[in-house]
Amino acid sequence: MENAVANAIRVVALGNDGDGIAQTPEGRIFVPGTVPGDEILLVDQNGTHGTLDRVLIPGVDRVAAPCSLFGRCGGCRIQNMALPALLDWKTGRVLDSLQRVGFDAIPTPQAHQVSPHARRRVDLAFRRVGKEIVLGLHRRRGDVVDMTECTLLDPTLFNLLTPLRAMLHSLPAVHTGGDIQINLLDSGPDLLITMDGTPDPNDRRILAQFGKAHGVPRISLQARPPETLALTGPVFHHFDDVRVMPPPGAFLQPARRGAAFIKAAVLAGLPRKGLKAGIIELYAGCGTLSFALAEQAKVHAYEGDRAAFACLKQASGGTRVLPAQRDLNRQPVMATDLAKAAAVVLDPPHAGAGAQIAQIVAGKPPCVIYVSCNPVALQRDLTPLRQAGYRLDSITVIDQFLWSAEVESVCVLTLPGKNRRNRR
């Protein structure tokens, strides 16, 4: 034991991917499965990465993982860390990015965390293994791990997995395997499948029978565009009081409460007055925020994806949402239009807002509300806004990807001296 203690190293932090960072005489290394404060032994070390042998002294935030698949299934990297500590770490990631931007003052963030068993969308892989279908997530750099339990998924989705395995096993078009994306819409689970064979009428019959038996109104094949294989009922979802028909594989916030936290932060950040000038919404999707914003003012909603735009346009009749299809990377909304808006709301993809940021800087709208799913892109996009004089008014951090390194945030920025009378 004395020799083990002599060889122990201490985990001092978490890296951006959720692996522990341990201090060794040769420098810092990444060790999966550890949390800050752990005193550990390594079984081996390869450059800057180590493999955990055992934990000698657990850190104060270490807990027993609630799922027996932890360490094998690739869905949860940080399940051995207490949820309050995980939220603090994610909040710290966002704050660190904002400090690197260089704001003079950073307000105290509001932080929210969703509950377990709340995930309403998931991307799974499936493989034929002998006479069975293995359905789940890939282990880290490895094969698919059968999802026999899950602390993330909404019970409606998890309970679908067993009959889904049986159905996939019976499909002639599934040779070795494929992938399946599931969105839990208000109308029920919506499936988008990739398979390694071509579905024939018999496959479609099997899929339709499965849909009817298990409350799955639509099953689609991943293609360009996706092809509906079975439609056994209406497909719909509600954003606020507006009913939309999302396309297969549509973007959906992973948890209802997470979506509610984001919406509340965005609405709270809007100017109190002056909204007659309207709101410009960028990356509007199917209307996740559009219809809530339209209760406050006219909304010019821009979306590049053709299917999402069609969904938004179809649902926008009788509302104050004015949708427009536009690839914002190739054809950003110009500064002259942005300058006329009371507020600009954007929820860009993981890579950030790209060319659109330069037009926002040039247009100088009085209020910019940025919804982020990537602290690195957030830092990159907000830096030119800070350099243009924008002030950071509020920060909201939302953890709706439990036990992972992913984190959402909403930042409200205003331009001092420009329509300041309109602020709350």
Side-chain angles (χ1 to χ4, degrees):
M1 182 65 180
E2 290 182 3
N3 189 47
V5 172
N7 293 325
I9 58 176
R10 182 177 176 83
V11 178
V12 296
L14 286 184
N16 286 344
D17 289 335
D19 292 338
I21 301 175
Q23 187 66 50
T24 74
E26 293 78 27
R28 292 188 168 191
I29 63 169
F30 295 93
V31 186
T34 62
V35 303
D38 283 349
E39 298 281 348
I40 64 171
L41 289 178
L42 298 180
V43 67
D44 64 51
Q45 180 180 342
N46 182 9
T48 59
H49 291 78
T51 302
L52 178 66
D53 180 10
R54 64 184 185 272
V55 177
L56 296 175
I57 303 174
V60 295
D61 295 318
R62 172 174 280 277
V63 297
C67 179
S68 67
L69 296 179
F70 176 68
R72 291 180 287 153
C73 171
C76 298
R77 289 195 181 183
I78 325 174
Q79 242 190 16
N80 51 2
M81 188 172 181
L83 284 176
L86 186 59
L87 179 59
D88 287 344
W89 173 68
K90 292 188 179 188
T91 301
R93 285 194 66 203
V94 174
L95 289 176
D96 180 67
S97 291
L98 295 174
Q99 288 165 355
R100 292 173 185 272
V101 171
F103 288 109
D104 293 333
I106 297 179
T108 301
Q110 296 289 320
H112 305 283
Q113 191 170 52
V114 303
S115 301
H117 303 289
R119 186 73 177 264
R120 60 178 178 173
R121 68 175 171 90
V122 65
D123 295 328
L124 302 174
F126 59 92
R127 299 289 180 268
R128 287 196 185 275
V129 178
K131 296 182 179 181
E132 298 181 345
I133 287 284
V134 172
L135 173 66
L137 298 169
H138 286 274
R139 70 177 75 240
R140 210 164 172 183
R141 294 183 290 274
D143 297 330
V144 181
V145 176
D146 205 31
M147 190 176 280
T148 53
E149 63 177 292
C150 185
T151 53
L152 285 176
L153 285 186
D154 183 292
T156 299
L157 293 188
F158 181 75
N159 292 337
L160 188 66
L161 300 188
T162 296
L164 189 54
R165 289 182 184 92
M167 184 273 288
L168 292 170
H169 185 270
S170 70
L171 279 182
V174 172
H175 299 162
T176 60
D179 301 284
I180 183 164
Q181 179 178 327
I182 312 174
N183 273 342
L184 183 55
L185 305 179
D186 290 342
S187 55
D190 189 43
L191 276 57
L192 180 62
I193 301 179
T194 302
M195 57 186 85
D196 53 356
T198 302
D200 62 15
N202 187 38
D203 292 285
R204 294 171 187 265
R205 177 186 58 79
I206 294 170
L207 291 166
Q209 289 175 342
F210 174 83
K212 288 180 181 178
H214 298 284
V216 179
R218 181 176 63 186
I219 303 174
S220 305
L221 178 68
Q222 180 67 272
R224 293 191 177 182
E227 176 187 353
T228 300
L229 297 177
L231 185 65
T232 57
V235 177
F236 60 87
H237 195 69
H238 291 89
F239 294 127
D240 297 280
D241 293 328
V242 178
R243 177 165 156 157
V244 305
M245 190 176 118
F251 171 77
L252 190 68
Q253 291 290 356
R256 287 185 182 273
R257 288 192 69 212
F261 288 136
I262 291 172
K263 182 179 76 171
V266 169
L267 295 180
L270 291 174
R272 185 177 60 185
K273 299 179 181 178
L275 283 173
K276 286 185 178 179
I279 299 167
I280 289 180
E281 183 191 12
L282 308 173
Y283 312 97
C286 294
T288 308
L289 293 170
S290 310
F291 301 108
L293 291 169
E295 294 177 5
Q296 309 298 317
K298 178 175 61 179
V299 179
H300 294 273
Y302 293 88
E303 172 54 41
D305 181 79
R306 180 174 297 180
F309 166 74
C311 170
L312 179 62
K313 184 176 181 180
Q314 184 179 39
S316 62
T319 73
R320 290 195 287 181
V321 175
L322 305 174
Q325 185 180 355
R326 196 150 171 172
D327 184 335
L328 297 174
N329 244 351
R330 298 182 179 180
Q331 190 185 8
V333 178
M334 301 305 290
T336 50
D337 294 319
L338 296 165
K340 300 171 187 176
V344 173
V345 177
L346 64 160
D347 185 359
H350 192 266
Q356 187 62 72
I357 289 296
Q359 296 301 320
I360 295 175
V361 168
K364 292 184 170 58
C367 175
V368 176
I369 303 176
Y370 190 116
V371 182
S372 169
C373 62
N374 180 359
V376 175
L378 179 70
Q379 177 185 335
R380 182 175 60 246
D381 285 350
L382 293 198
T383 296
L385 290 173
R386 194 273 304 167
Q387 293 169 344
Y390 278 89
R391 175 186 64 197
L392 183 60
D393 279 3
S394 70
I395 313 158
T396 303
V397 176
I398 304 100
D399 180 14
Q400 59 175 341
F401 292 92
L402 291 185
W403 298 304
S404 78
E406 302 298 326
V407 58
E408 305 262 351
S409 61
V410 179
C411 293
V412 178
L413 302 100
T414 57
L415 201 57
K418 188 168 186 181
N419 290 354
R420 289 189 63 179
R421 67 184 184 278
N422 294 334
R423 297 301 303 160
R424 296 182 188 272

